[in-house]
Amino acid sequence: MKRLGFWLVLLVPGLLHAQQALETSAQQKFISGGTIRLHLEAGGYTITPGDSENIVVTCRAHTEEQLKRVKVEIRPTASSADVYVSETPHNNFQATIEVPRHSNLWARLSAGELEVEGVEGDKNIELRAGRIQIDIPHPELYGHRDASVTTGSIESSAFDVSKGGLFRSFEQQGPGKYRLHAHVMTGEIDLRGSD
């Protein structure tokens, strides 16, 4: 029995190490206030404001082989940038995309989860299957806002909306200058206020 305990002590750290995700990143200088178009294949993505004027894409997967297959391409122009993440693994793929805090976002994701944290600007986000979560600490900054699901639910503490079922949507006009559009064919939209 002591010998079994000895082998477990040796094996468990190795197993824990094997579960840790490997990561790689790519970055490109960009401007604050520009438009960033995200073309994303299946996975879990977090879009977050960075401290610099760069776009930084950090990808995480569980094996080196999976990570090597992932392709990241950032194509900037004077006022916009296209970011492509493709050849993603079918499970456990995660990526964090840092953008300038003031950025207009356009994103299309095939399937998975897309979370937007604290980025100030227009947002036009659609996905076929999965979940969109957008943090909206200041709902008053938005003018036209709309969200829709073909099948699923819309939970919006930011705009006092809660709907579920088939073909659910809402459309509002607020006092702000930014536009918000979110659509999921099958899944969930969560537009979170600061409460």
Side-chain angles (χ1 to χ4, degrees):
M1 195 64 162
K2 283 183 181 174
R3 177 166 282 194
L4 178 61
F6 171 76
W7 283 110
L8 284 174
V9 168
L10 286 178
L11 283 172
V12 169
L15 291 172
L16 290 175
H17 179 70
Q19 292 300 311
Q20 292 175 352
L22 303 166
E23 67 177 48
T24 185
S25 65
Q27 70 174 354
Q28 175 67 52
K29 189 127 185 80
F30 193 54
I31 54 159
S32 184
T35 297
I36 300 170
R37 290 182 293 270
L38 304 165
H39 311 263
L40 309 172
E41 287 191 3
Y45 295 85
T46 301
I47 303 168
T48 185
D51 295 326
S52 69
E53 296 292 282
N54 295 335
I55 298 171
V56 183
V57 181
T58 304
C59 300
R60 288 175 295 283
H62 281 291
T63 68
E64 204 165 318
E65 187 180 315
Q66 287 178 332
L67 206 54
K68 280 182 182 171
R69 280 203 301 264
V70 177
K71 291 189 172 91
V72 176
E73 190 176 356
I74 305 172
R75 298 182 195 163
T77 64
S79 62
S80 67
D82 285 279
V83 178
Y84 297 86
V85 180
S86 58
E87 305 294 326
T88 58
H90 294 301
N91 58 352
N92 297 319
F93 174 75
Q94 302 284 323
T96 301
I97 303 173
E98 286 183 33
V99 300
R101 184 170 297 278
H102 294 274
S103 296
N104 297 317
L105 297 175
W106 178 98
R108 296 297 182 266
L109 171 61
S110 57
E113 185 165 356
L114 183 58
E115 184 174 338
V116 181
E117 301 174 341
V119 178
E120 192 175 314
D122 295 340
K123 295 170 183 70
N124 183 323
I125 297 174
E126 295 187 3
L127 94 96
R128 287 203 289 269
R131 183 171 183 271
I132 294 172
Q133 177 184 314
I134 304 174
D135 292 346
I136 302 178
H138 302 288
E140 71 279 3
L141 294 177
Y142 290 87
H144 185 269
R145 55 252 189 160
D146 70 85
S148 60
V149 294
T150 305
T151 306
S153 67
I154 301 169
E155 296 298 329
S156 174
S157 60
F159 303 119
D160 297 318
V161 174
S162 179
K163 297 183 174 192
L166 295 172
F167 303 106
R168 299 300 178 190
S169 65
F170 82 89
E171 188 170 358
Q172 296 177 350
Q173 189 65 40
K177 63 180 178 176
Y178 299 131
R179 295 177 64 86
L180 170 69
H181 166 75
H183 175 71
V184 174
M185 283 182 69
T186 304
E188 180 186 343
I189 296 173
D190 186 358
L191 306 175
R192 294 191 172 186
S194 56
D195 52 355

